[in-house]
Each structure stands twice: as C-alpha cells, then as structure tokens.
Amino acid sequence: MRSRMTRIGSGLIALMMAAIIWLPCLHFIFAKPVSNFWQPQGLSPKAAQLAARQLQLWTDPALRERELNKMRASNAEWDFMGRSYLVWSLANMSLREPASKQIYLQTMDQIIDETLRLEKQEGMTFFLMPYAKDHPYLVRPAHSLFLDGEIALMLAARRTVEEKPEYKALFTERVNGMVDRFQKSRKMLLESYPDECWTFDHCVALDAIKMADHLDGTDHSALIRDWIAMAKTKLVDPKSGLLISAFQTGGTPIYGPEGSSIWMVAHSLQLLDEDFARDQYQRARKELGAVTLGFGYAHEWPKSWKGDPDIDSGPIIPWFEISAGSSGMAFIGASSFGDEKFLAPLAATLDFAGFPSRDGGRLKYCASNQVGDAALLYAATLGPLWQKIETP
C-alpha cells in the first residue's frame, strides 16, 4: 500500500508539473482580445455567433423542444430564465443593430407571448421547481417575484426598443401588483417560493419598476430608495460585505453570499444605485473572482462562508474551488463594469473548458445549455438598454 501510494503521489506531482508547464502555453492559444466577446458598438464576433444559435431555437420548434425538455428535466427555472436572458439580449441587440431590429422584435414577441400563454395555461408553478408546491405561500393570492419581476423586465425591455400598446397594459398590471405588495410588506421582502425570498429577484423586479418610471412617467423613486436602504442594513453579510442570496419574509437568512447570484445582482443594481452596484461588484471580484495562469474563474462562496453545492452553483471543481454557475454569471458582472482584466481571462477559460461547437456561423457551448448560453449572450451584448433608461 505504501509503495502504491508513493507511485500515485509521484504521478500527481508529475501531472501538476505538466499543468504548470503547459497551462500558460494553452492560455496563449485561447486568449483573445476582449472585443471578440464584447465591444462598445455593434455585435462582437462571439455575440453574433451565440445569437445565431439562440435565434435558430425559435425558428426550429423541434430543436427548441429538445433543448427546453433537457433543461426542464433538471430545473424548470432554466426554461424560464433562458427566455428572460434571450429577450433582454435581443433588446440590447436591437439598440446595437437598428437595421435588424424588426427580426429581433419578432423573436422577442414570440418568446413573451408563449411565456405568458404557458403561465396562464399551466399556472405559475410551471416555471418553478417542484418545492413551490410543498407549502402554501404566506401572502395570498400567491405570487412569485421571480416570475413577476422577469416577465415585467421582458415587457419593459421590449417596450423600450419599440412601443407595443398591448404590452403596456400587461406591463402596468404586473408592475402595479409588485408595487402594491412591496408597500404592504412590512420588511419589503416578497416571496419567490413559499417564505423564500431572493435578492436576485428583488433587484430584477426593481429594475422593471425603475423602467416603468422611464416608460410611463410614474415615480417609484422613494420605493427603490427605501428598499436599497433596507438591503444595506438588513441583507449584507457582515464579514464579506456582500449581499446575501436568500432569506425568509421576516429577514432571516437562508443562504449567504453566492457567486451564482451576486454578479447579476451587481449588474441589476447599476440601474438603481450605481455606487452600491460598484461596491458589490468590487467586493465580489475580490472575494470570488480569480485568475490562474491566464485563465479566469469564480468561486461560489467567499472564504468566510461555507456553503453546499446545489443546482445554482453547479459542480465545484476541487483544489481551485471553481463554480460553474458563478464563473458563468461572472461574465455579466465583468461586462457590466468594463473589467477587461477579468473578462478576457474568463473568455479564455470559456473557450478552453466550455467545449465550443460551431455550425454554420452558430455557436453553442457543449458544457453549457440554452440558459447558460443565453446568459453569455446577455453579457456579450449588454450596455445599450441600461444606458437608454439612465439617459433622460
């Protein structure tokens, strides 16, 4: 046993030495300019290829059904979020490429209409994980802020690109419902699942409410200001300074800071409080972001918090403690804040370990799925939508 373990140890040392020698060389093979992934004007090469694949899914019903069924077998949320990220991406693409706007609007409308139809036909739990049915929601009638916020933001993004009268009424109804529940909640914390609230969902919902002010001349600035003030005092982990991910309606934490959540939260906060957003991104970058031998990745938890892998974090790669979920969402954070020193190494890792598959100018990552690729597309196109809302 001793000699066998010695041989195994020697083999591991040899592999480590090989990795030390070859990884920097591999980095040079996969490293590309940041403009290959994101650029200020038009579509980057990577964005155009990802978009072509995503659009194909909505022109080929059989292909879409296969992709969505695979995701729903693991997590029905992915079906819903893949729709959200694609609609938000198409809004940015419409603003980046006005000549193609009508094509993008057509797909946005197709996604929104089907999503609303399924929600009405199947009920809100169609897009939720099974435990949504395990207990009743505390607030009746039951609403999921996860669904309401993302649907509202889809409608807002579409209307920002070009007004559609029938969507205005649907958007106003959705926003007014969320605002009413915020005002009735003593702690301003709304359920996505029974007695389970998520910072991610609150920030997305507040983005939609902020966009209502831009689109329809309403004023919810006091509501947004009060929620931000509450979050800074009640929802921040004292050790890392990062917002926690989930909590009960009474404010009791369920999950601490998580990379699969905080990168998107920082992006969403840009529309609500730029200084707080930058603070959260910089803390996440320090606590969770990492670059080794030119390859970028992200951890799921800060060192001060112990968590368990779940469907959001994805598998955790030992030694480096790499989280697939956090690393993917880190693209959104890095793109949002123009962090090219992190974005470029992340992109190198994606092309090295994401197993890209190209076909006829279309790109997908075999290590990902539709929602993962849609989130990457959002990271590769973001900018114009937020800028349009921020500009009077």
Coordinates of all heavy atoms in Angstrom, one line a residue, residues 34 37-38 262-264 266-267 270 278 281-282 284-285 289 326-347 379-380 382:
V34 N -10.6 41.3 -25.8 CA -11.9 41.4 -25.2 C -12.9 41.7 -26.2 O -14.1 41.3 -26.1 CB -11.9 42.5 -24.1 CG1 -13.3 42.8 -23.6 CG2 -11.1 42.0 -22.9
F37 N -15.4 39.2 -27.5 CA -16.6 38.8 -26.7 C -17.5 40.0 -26.5 O -18.7 39.8 -26.7 CB -16.1 38.3 -25.3 CG -17.3 37.9 -24.4 CD1 -17.8 36.6 -24.6 CD2 -17.9 38.7 -23.5 CE1 -18.9 36.2 -23.8 CE2 -19.0 38.3 -22.8 CZ -19.5 37.0 -22.9
W38 N -17.0 41.2 -26.2 CA -17.9 42.3 -26.0 C -17.2 43.5 -26.6 O -16.0 43.7 -26.5 CB -18.1 42.6 -24.5 CG -19.0 43.8 -24.2 CD1 -20.4 43.7 -24.0 CD2 -18.6 45.2 -24.1 NE1 -20.8 45.0 -23.8 CE2 -19.8 45.9 -23.9 CE3 -17.4 45.8 -24.2 CZ2 -19.8 47.3 -23.7 CZ3 -17.4 47.2 -24.1 CH2 -18.6 47.9 -23.8
I262 N -24.7 37.0 -7.0 CA -24.2 38.4 -6.7 C -23.7 39.1 -8.0 O -23.9 40.3 -8.1 CB -23.1 38.4 -5.7 CG1 -22.8 39.8 -5.2 CG2 -21.8 37.7 -6.2 CD1 -24.0 40.4 -4.5
W263 N -23.2 38.4 -9.0 CA -22.8 39.0 -10.2 C -23.9 39.7 -10.9 O -23.8 40.8 -11.4 CB -22.1 38.1 -11.2 CG -20.9 37.3 -10.6 CD1 -20.8 36.0 -10.2 CD2 -19.6 37.9 -10.2 NE1 -19.6 35.7 -9.7 CE2 -18.8 36.8 -9.7 CE3 -19.0 39.2 -10.3 CZ2 -17.5 37.0 -9.3 CZ3 -17.7 39.3 -9.9 CH2 -17.0 38.3 -9.4
M264 N -25.1 39.0 -11.0 CA -26.3 39.6 -11.6 C -26.9 40.6 -10.8 O -27.4 41.7 -11.3 CB -27.3 38.5 -11.9 CG -28.6 38.9 -12.6 SD -28.4 39.6 -14.2 CE -30.0 40.2 -14.6
A266 N -25.2 42.7 -8.8 CA -24.5 43.9 -9.0 C -24.8 44.6 -10.3 O -25.0 45.8 -10.4 CB -23.0 43.6 -9.0
H267 N -25.0 43.8 -11.4 CA -25.5 44.4 -12.7 C -26.8 45.1 -12.5 O -27.0 46.2 -13.0 CB -25.5 43.3 -13.7 CG -26.3 43.7 -14.9 ND1 -25.9 44.6 -15.8 CD2 -27.5 43.2 -15.4 CE1 -26.8 44.7 -16.8 NE2 -27.8 43.9 -16.5
Q270 N -27.0 48.5 -10.9 CA -26.5 49.6 -11.7 C -27.6 50.6 -12.0 O -27.4 51.8 -12.1 CB -25.8 49.2 -13.0 CG -24.4 48.7 -12.8 CD -23.7 48.4 -14.1 OE1 -24.3 47.6 -14.9 NE2 -22.6 49.0 -14.4
R278 N -21.4 49.2 -7.8 CA -19.9 49.1 -7.9 C -19.3 48.6 -6.7 O -18.3 47.7 -6.8 CB -19.3 50.5 -8.3 CG -17.8 50.4 -8.7 CD -17.4 51.7 -9.4 NE -18.0 51.9 -10.6 CZ -17.6 51.3 -11.8 NH1 -16.6 50.4 -11.8 NH2 -18.3 51.5 -12.9
Y281 N -19.9 44.8 -6.8 CA -19.0 44.2 -7.8 C -17.6 44.1 -7.4 O -17.0 43.0 -7.5 CB -19.1 44.9 -9.2 CG -18.1 44.2 -10.2 CD1 -18.5 43.0 -10.7 CD2 -16.9 44.8 -10.5 CE1 -17.6 42.4 -11.6 CE2 -16.0 44.1 -11.3 CZ -16.4 42.9 -11.9 OH -15.5 42.3 -12.7
Q282 N -17.1 45.1 -6.9 CA -15.7 45.1 -6.4 C -15.4 44.1 -5.3 O -14.4 43.5 -5.2 CB -15.3 46.5 -6.0 CG -15.1 47.5 -7.2 CD -14.9 48.9 -6.8 OE1 -15.1 49.3 -5.6 NE2 -14.5 49.8 -7.7
A284 N -17.3 41.4 -4.8 CA -17.4 40.1 -5.4 C -16.1 39.7 -6.2 O -15.6 38.6 -6.1 CB -18.6 40.0 -6.4
R285 N -15.6 40.7 -6.9 CA -14.3 40.5 -7.6 C -13.2 40.1 -6.7 O -12.4 39.2 -7.0 CB -14.0 41.8 -8.4 CG -12.7 41.7 -9.2 CD -12.8 40.7 -10.4 NE -11.6 40.7 -11.1 CZ -10.5 39.9 -10.8 NH1 -10.6 39.1 -9.8 NH2 -9.4 39.9 -11.6
G289 N -13.7 36.3 -7.5 CA -13.0 36.2 -8.8 C -11.6 35.8 -8.6 O -10.9 36.1 -7.6
S326 N -21.1 30.3 -10.8 CA -20.6 31.6 -10.5 C -19.7 32.1 -11.7 O -19.7 33.3 -12.0 CB -19.7 31.6 -9.2 OG -19.2 32.8 -8.9
S327 N -18.9 31.2 -12.2 CA -18.0 31.6 -13.3 C -18.8 32.1 -14.5 O -18.4 33.0 -15.2 CB -17.1 30.4 -13.7 OG -16.3 30.0 -12.7
G328 N -19.9 31.4 -14.8 CA -20.7 31.8 -15.9 C -21.3 33.2 -15.7 O -21.3 34.1 -16.6
M329 N -21.9 33.4 -14.5 CA -22.5 34.7 -14.2 C -21.5 35.8 -14.0 O -21.8 37.0 -14.2 CB -23.3 34.6 -12.9 CG -24.5 33.6 -13.0 SD -25.7 34.0 -14.3 CE -26.5 35.4 -13.6
A330 N -20.2 35.5 -13.8 CA -19.2 36.5 -13.7 C -19.0 37.3 -14.9 O -18.6 38.4 -14.9 CB -17.9 35.8 -13.2
F331 N -19.4 36.6 -16.1 CA -19.3 37.4 -17.4 C -20.2 38.6 -17.3 O -19.8 39.7 -17.8 CB -19.7 36.5 -18.5 CG -18.6 35.5 -19.0 CD1 -18.5 34.3 -18.4 CD2 -17.8 35.9 -20.1 CE1 -17.5 33.4 -18.9 CE2 -16.8 35.0 -20.5 CZ -16.6 33.8 -19.9
I332 N -21.4 38.5 -16.7 CA -22.3 39.6 -16.7 C -21.7 40.7 -15.8 O -21.8 41.9 -16.2 CB -23.7 39.1 -16.1 CG1 -24.3 38.2 -17.1 CG2 -24.6 40.3 -15.8 CD1 -25.6 37.6 -16.7
G333 N -21.1 40.3 -14.7 CA -20.5 41.3 -13.8 C -19.4 42.0 -14.5 O -19.3 43.3 -14.5
A334 N -18.5 41.3 -15.0 CA -17.3 41.9 -15.7 C -17.6 42.7 -16.8 O -17.1 43.8 -17.0 CB -16.3 40.8 -16.1
S335 N -18.6 42.3 -17.7 CA -19.0 43.1 -18.8 C -19.7 44.4 -18.3 O -19.5 45.5 -18.9 CB -20.0 42.4 -19.7 OG -19.3 41.3 -20.4
S336 N -20.5 44.3 -17.3 CA -21.3 45.5 -16.8 C -20.3 46.6 -16.3 O -20.6 47.8 -16.5 CB -22.2 45.0 -15.6 OG -23.1 44.1 -16.0
F337 N -19.2 46.2 -15.7 CA -18.4 47.2 -15.1 C -17.1 47.4 -15.9 O -16.1 48.0 -15.4 CB -18.0 46.8 -13.7 CG -19.3 46.9 -12.8 CD1 -20.1 45.7 -12.6 CD2 -19.6 48.0 -12.1 CE1 -21.2 45.8 -11.8 CE2 -20.8 48.1 -11.4 CZ -21.6 47.0 -11.2
G338 N -17.1 46.9 -17.1 CA -15.9 47.2 -18.0 C -14.6 46.6 -17.5 O -13.5 47.2 -17.7
D339 N -14.7 45.5 -16.7 CA -13.5 44.9 -16.1 C -12.8 44.0 -17.1 O -12.9 42.7 -17.1 CB -13.9 44.1 -14.9 CG -12.7 43.7 -14.0 OD1 -11.6 43.8 -14.5 OD2 -12.9 43.1 -12.9
E340 N -12.0 44.6 -18.0 CA -11.4 43.8 -19.1 C -10.3 42.8 -18.5 O -10.1 41.8 -19.1 CB -10.8 44.7 -20.1 CG -11.8 45.5 -20.9 CD -11.2 46.3 -22.0 OE1 -10.0 46.2 -22.3 OE2 -12.0 47.1 -22.7
K341 N -9.7 43.2 -17.4 CA -8.7 42.3 -16.8 C -9.2 41.0 -16.3 O -8.5 40.1 -16.1 CB -8.0 43.1 -15.7 CG -7.1 44.3 -16.2 CD -6.3 44.9 -15.1 CE -5.5 46.0 -15.6 NZ -4.7 46.7 -14.5
F342 N -10.5 41.0 -16.0 CA -11.2 39.8 -15.6 C -11.9 39.1 -16.8 O -12.0 37.9 -16.9 CB -12.1 40.1 -14.4 CG -12.7 38.9 -13.7 CD1 -11.9 37.7 -13.6 CD2 -13.9 38.9 -13.1 CE1 -12.4 36.6 -12.9 CE2 -14.4 37.8 -12.5 CZ -13.7 36.6 -12.4
L343 N -12.5 40.0 -17.6 CA -13.4 39.4 -18.7 C -12.5 38.6 -19.7 O -12.9 37.5 -20.1 CB -14.1 40.6 -19.4 CG -15.1 40.2 -20.5 CD1 -16.2 39.3 -19.9 CD2 -15.7 41.4 -21.1
A344 N -11.3 39.1 -20.0 CA -10.5 38.4 -21.0 C -10.1 37.0 -20.5 O -10.2 36.0 -21.2 CB -9.3 39.2 -21.4
P345 N -9.6 36.9 -19.2 CA -9.3 35.5 -18.7 C -10.5 34.6 -18.6 O -10.4 33.4 -18.8 CB -8.7 35.8 -17.4 CG -8.2 37.2 -17.4 CD -9.2 37.9 -18.3
L346 N -11.7 35.2 -18.3 CA -12.9 34.4 -18.2 C -13.2 33.8 -19.6 O -13.6 32.6 -19.8 CB -14.1 35.3 -17.8 CG -14.2 35.6 -16.3 CD1 -15.3 36.6 -16.1 CD2 -14.5 34.3 -15.5
A347 N -13.1 34.7 -20.7 CA -13.3 34.2 -22.0 C -12.4 33.1 -22.5 O -12.7 32.2 -23.2 CB -13.3 35.4 -23.0
A379 N -24.4 38.9 -21.5 CA -23.1 39.6 -21.1 C -22.4 40.2 -22.3 O -21.8 41.2 -22.2 CB -22.2 38.5 -20.4
A380 N -22.5 39.5 -23.4 CA -21.8 40.0 -24.6 C -22.5 41.1 -25.3 O -21.9 41.7 -26.2 CB -21.6 38.8 -25.6
L382 N -24.8 43.4 -23.4 CA -25.4 44.4 -22.5 C -24.7 45.8 -22.6 O -23.6 45.9 -23.2 CB -25.3 43.9 -21.1 CG -24.0 43.5 -20.4 CD1 -23.2 44.8 -20.0 CD2 -24.2 42.7 -19.2

